[in-house]
Amino acid sequence: MPIFSRAGLLSGLGMLLSLAAQAQTPAAPKEAPVYKASLDTAFQKGSGLVLSKLTAQQLENLTALGQVWGFVKYYHPVVAAGQVDWDKELFRVLPAALASRTTAERSALLGQWIAKLGPAAPCATCAKRPALPVRQEPDLVWLTDNRLYTAELQQQLDYLKHNRNQGSHYYVAEGNVLSPGFTHEEAYATHTYPDAGLRILALFRYWNMIQYFFPYKYAIGENWQQVLPEFLPQFVEAPNALQYRLVTLRLLARIHDGHATLNPDATLDQYMGAYIVPAAVKFIDRQAVVLRVRQDGLLPRPPLEPGDILTHIDGVSVVDIVKQRLPLTPGSNEAGQLRMLASDLLRGNTDQTQLQLLRAGKPLTVSAPRYLLDKLPPVRPQPADSAYRFLKPDIGYLTMAKTKQQQLPTIFRTFKNTKGLVVDIRNYPTDFSATQQLPGYFLTKPKAFAKFAKFDISYPGRFLRFSSKFLKPIGTPYTGKLIVLVDETSISLAEYTAMALRATPHAIILGSPTAGADGDVSRIVLPGNLVTRISGTGVYYPDGRETQRIGIVPDVQLRPTVQGIREGRDELLEKALELIDKG
């Protein structure tokens, strides 16, 4: 509390009253800065480019242009300051770039194009090493590609590399999280089927976002440089709105990231089907097994049983469906891809489907009704459907799908004298705060459980390693055995929670490897208002071990069996009880 002198008391009270009045009157919002880039109103109806097929020369020209366009977008101070709309500048240079006949002609064009932005001022800080350790260096080997660029253009690009933008960026926001925010990216939402120039922009935009801001680019499993020329013909030749989306899905699947799904829209919904059989499917040993059948009185019960193995849907084998859809299904690993694929397996555009299946080993054909997805009544919770309960008098259970932070003190008072606790994360946690506090109830002292890698806006493509994240004890620690249930449905925050619980003294992770897509996400929008995401933060164990694509590997590995599903058993839960009872 401030102490005022007698002489300054009145003025001090006046200041407090003034501050109180200001607190009651909302401050006027700050006006957003007006960037010159936002004033460029050209190409409102599209790029105007008409192109249906690429020659070998045009493919080479676009490959060179795409790499240079992205590099200048993220490195040049003028673009970073929002002085030009870099999409529009791409559309302006595209016709001439496509028409270039030689490397020299193309390089001269690109060099002049960059020079129009003005020279980048010498950078006094660009050569300095960062204070934090470097997790990943930029991949800029392409700058020295003599096949694509002349020595003069290479020199121009190298100068920009060493005198790049420092500080804030028009197209990338840092914010308070570790993942990049991609700002000022036009969605071109009215273009359900974008023209050739917009489709090229979509590929260029995404390819360069991965090139410079995906923390796991090194784990993709292939040379990302080769992906650009591979997909250019596919984006150019996509003949309609659906094929544009399908080729985009194929591209997203190539980064092997479970966050890189594509938001559904009317075109994709029509392709996948507006109707669905109300039953859940899970892949076990690559067999599509009915996991649950909806039976709540709100809909007629489908003619399926838990444990049924689906072999054909409307005459098409499930094996062929998987083969066709897997390349279109983003996921960090195959288990994650199959999880996504299973959720749509029973969709279609008819209100009936013929299913061939194996029931207890015997072949059977049934006709199952489908229902409109947007007309399905919501599932009603069971009367005893709680966040926590007793499995036995001395064993507790809680599910992260329902656990709230404010419930944790009550939960641990309730289970204080039990010999074991099962935490089920075969779901997505409902409360971030609960996931952060839960591990503290098992600790006697702070414990490191994760390290992070964050993008470096001062040198796009570089990622810096942050020190370990620590868990803090909360109250008297629970000393019973802790069993954590996970499987391929455990993704992102669920995996982060499992990592944290693994760091506690008495934890055993039980189940199958998780989806392998941990960390904060970054939203990406592409022309046609296609919305996707990436894992924007690198997440690692304190010793540097990977989680991306690998997932959380259980201490005790166990998967459900068809027999167990048929009998209505939760085999992982049974194993958890066994582990606790054995002590």
Side-chain angles (χ1 to χ4, degrees):
M1 182 177 180
I3 300 175
F4 295 97
S5 66
R6 185 180 296 271
L9 182 58
L10 292 178
S11 63
L13 287 173
M15 180 166 56
L16 288 175
L17 291 172
S18 173
L19 290 172
Q22 291 176 26
Q24 294 175 4
T25 305
K30 291 184 178 179
E31 290 187 11
V34 177
Y35 295 95
K36 191 175 179 181
S38 65
L39 304 178
D40 190 342
T41 58
F43 304 101
Q44 296 290 82
K45 296 182 179 180
S47 73
L49 181 68
V50 177
L51 186 65
S52 59
K53 200 167 183 65
L54 294 176
T55 65
Q57 182 64 59
Q58 287 174 327
L59 176 58
E60 183 179 290
N61 293 342
L62 287 180
T63 301
L65 173 61
Q67 293 183 146
V68 170
W69 178 83
F71 176 75
V72 175
K73 176 179 181 177
Y74 294 123
Y75 275 62
H76 203 292
V78 170
V79 181
Q83 293 298 302
V84 291
D85 184 320
W86 205 232
D87 289 359
K88 310 295 178 58
E89 294 305 317
L90 172 65
F91 299 150
R92 292 185 173 103
V93 79
L94 256 176
L98 283 165
S100 297
R101 294 164 295 182
T102 63
T103 299
E105 184 179 337
R106 179 181 63 237
S107 294
L109 171 71
L110 296 179
Q112 293 164 11
W113 183 51
I114 299 169
K116 288 181 181 178
L117 296 172
C123 176
T125 60
C126 287
K128 291 183 179 178
R129 295 297 295 171
L132 293 169
V134 175
R135 178 64 180 80
Q136 181 180 326
E137 292 284 4
D139 176 14
L140 298 174
V141 176
W142 63 270
L143 289 173
T144 59
D145 190 337
N146 296 324
R147 183 179 59 87
L148 293 182
Y149 312 109
T150 61
E152 292 77 12
L153 181 57
Q154 290 180 39
Q155 185 177 3
Q156 189 177 3
L157 296 172
D158 188 65
Y159 175 83
L160 183 55
K161 169 186 170 182
H162 291 98
N163 297 279
R164 59 192 177 272
N165 178 70
Q166 301 290 284
S168 61
H169 202 293
Y170 179 71
Y171 287 108
V172 187
E174 289 193 89
N176 296 319
V177 295
L178 299 180
S179 296
F182 297 114
T183 56
H184 300 108
E185 298 288 3
E186 175 60 46
Y188 304 97
T190 61
H191 301 263
T192 303
Y193 173 48
D195 66 28
L198 286 170
R199 299 197 301 275
I200 290 170
L201 168 65
L203 176 58
F204 283 4
R205 184 185 289 180
Y206 188 81
W207 187 88
N208 281 288
M209 286 174 172
I210 300 303
Q211 170 76 358
Y212 296 106
F213 296 102
F214 186 44
Y216 301 114
K217 189 167 76 73
Y218 64 88
I220 286 175
E222 63 179 317
N223 185 350
W224 188 243
Q225 304 297 326
Q226 296 174 1
V227 171
L228 182 59
E230 176 187 341
F231 273 85
L232 271 166
Q234 298 181 50
F235 272 81
V236 167
E237 296 170 15
N240 52 48
L242 174 59
Q243 292 303 318
Y244 168 56
R245 283 155 178 76
L246 295 184
V247 72
T248 300
L249 279 169
R250 280 194 287 272
L251 175 65
L252 304 185
R254 293 289 282 273
I255 71 168
H256 303 292
D257 183 7
H259 284 133
T261 53
L262 192 60
N263 279 15
D265 62 8
T267 304
L268 283 174
D269 281 343
Q270 184 178 9
Y271 172 71
M272 296 305 300
Y275 296 81
I276 193 168
V277 177
V281 177
K282 180 184 181 72
F283 278 92
I284 298 175
D285 296 329
R286 270 188 161 246
Q287 291 182 309
V289 181
V290 175
L291 184 63
R292 291 183 302 276
V293 179
R294 182 164 177 175
Q295 185 178 9
D296 56 9
L298 300 178
L299 292 170
R301 191 181 193 280
L304 295 171
E305 299 292 342
D308 286 349
I309 299 173
L310 302 174
T311 60
H312 294 76
I313 299 174
D314 291 327
V316 182
S317 75
V318 171
V319 171
D320 288 341
I321 293 173
V322 170
K323 185 177 179 180
Q324 175 195 0
R325 293 189 186 178
L326 213 56
L328 300 171
T329 307
S332 299
N333 49 41
E334 187 177 83
Q337 288 178 286
L338 290 174
R339 172 183 61 86
M340 294 296 296
L341 201 156
S343 65
D344 290 327
L345 195 62
L346 292 174
R347 286 179 66 174
N349 280 315
T350 60
D351 60 6
Q352 290 283 330
T353 179
Q354 189 177 72
L355 303 175
Q356 293 171 250
L357 53 91
L358 294 174
R359 179 173 293 170
K362 297 179 180 179
L364 183 66
T365 299
V366 300
S367 180
R370 288 192 181 115
Y371 300 89
L372 283 168
L373 275 162
D374 59 358
K375 301 295 184 183
L376 284 176
V379 175
R380 294 182 300 204
Q382 297 295 322
D385 193 6
S386 172
Y388 62 100
R389 64 180 187 269
F390 283 95
L391 297 174
K392 297 172 65 175
D394 55 356
I395 298 177
Y397 168 91
L398 67 88
T399 171
M400 295 310 299
K402 296 181 179 297
T403 301
K404 304 283 189 181
Q405 174 191 351
Q406 59 266 29
Q407 295 175 295
L408 291 177
T410 301
I411 289 172
F412 281 91
R413 282 196 301 270
T414 303
F415 296 146
K416 179 180 178 181
N417 296 315
T418 56
K419 66 180 179 182
L421 178 61
V422 179
V423 176
D424 198 339
I425 325 182
R426 295 173 295 177
N427 49 58
Y428 195 82
T430 190
D431 184 355
F432 177 77
S433 297
T435 67
Q436 299 300 289
Q437 290 198 7
L438 177 62
Y441 286 87
F442 301 93
L443 295 172
T444 58
K445 59 183 179 180
K447 183 69 181 291
F449 77 99
K451 283 184 178 179
F452 306 106
K454 178 186 183 297
F455 71 101
D456 184 356
I457 192 63
S458 72
Y459 200 174
R462 183 164 68 186
F463 284 80
L464 305 178
R465 190 172 69 244
F466 280 67
S467 57
S468 296
K469 174 81 172 178
F470 276 80
L471 303 166
K472 297 179 180 179
I474 298 176
T476 304
Y478 178 84
T479 56
K481 185 68 70 178
L482 170 62
I483 309 295
V484 182
L485 305 183
V486 299
D487 63 11
E488 72 277 7
T489 63
S490 310
I491 187 172
S492 194
L493 182 56
E495 296 179 281
Y496 189 71
T497 307
M499 286 181 71
L501 290 172
R502 168 168 265 168
T504 62
H506 309 295
I508 295 175
I509 308 293
L510 168 64
S512 53
T514 59
D518 203 350
D520 290 330
V521 298
S522 295
R523 180 180 182 273
I524 293 174
V525 62
L526 303 175
N529 200 29
L530 305 189
V531 178
T532 182
R533 292 163 182 81
I534 57 171
S535 302
T537 306
V539 180
Y540 310 89
Y541 285 103
D543 61 5
R545 282 179 297 142
E546 301 276 351
T547 60
Q548 183 74 7
R549 298 196 66 179
I550 298 169
I552 309 302
V553 179
D555 303 303
V556 179
Q557 295 212 32
L558 182 68
R559 289 177 170 84
T561 65
V562 175
Q563 181 68 23
I565 292 172
R566 186 180 301 121
E567 295 171 357
R569 296 161 47 209
D570 187 336
E571 293 161 287
L572 269 67
L573 201 55
E574 292 174 359
K575 184 66 175 180
L577 293 173
E578 177 189 326
L579 291 171
I580 292 172
D581 283 334
K582 286 184 175 179

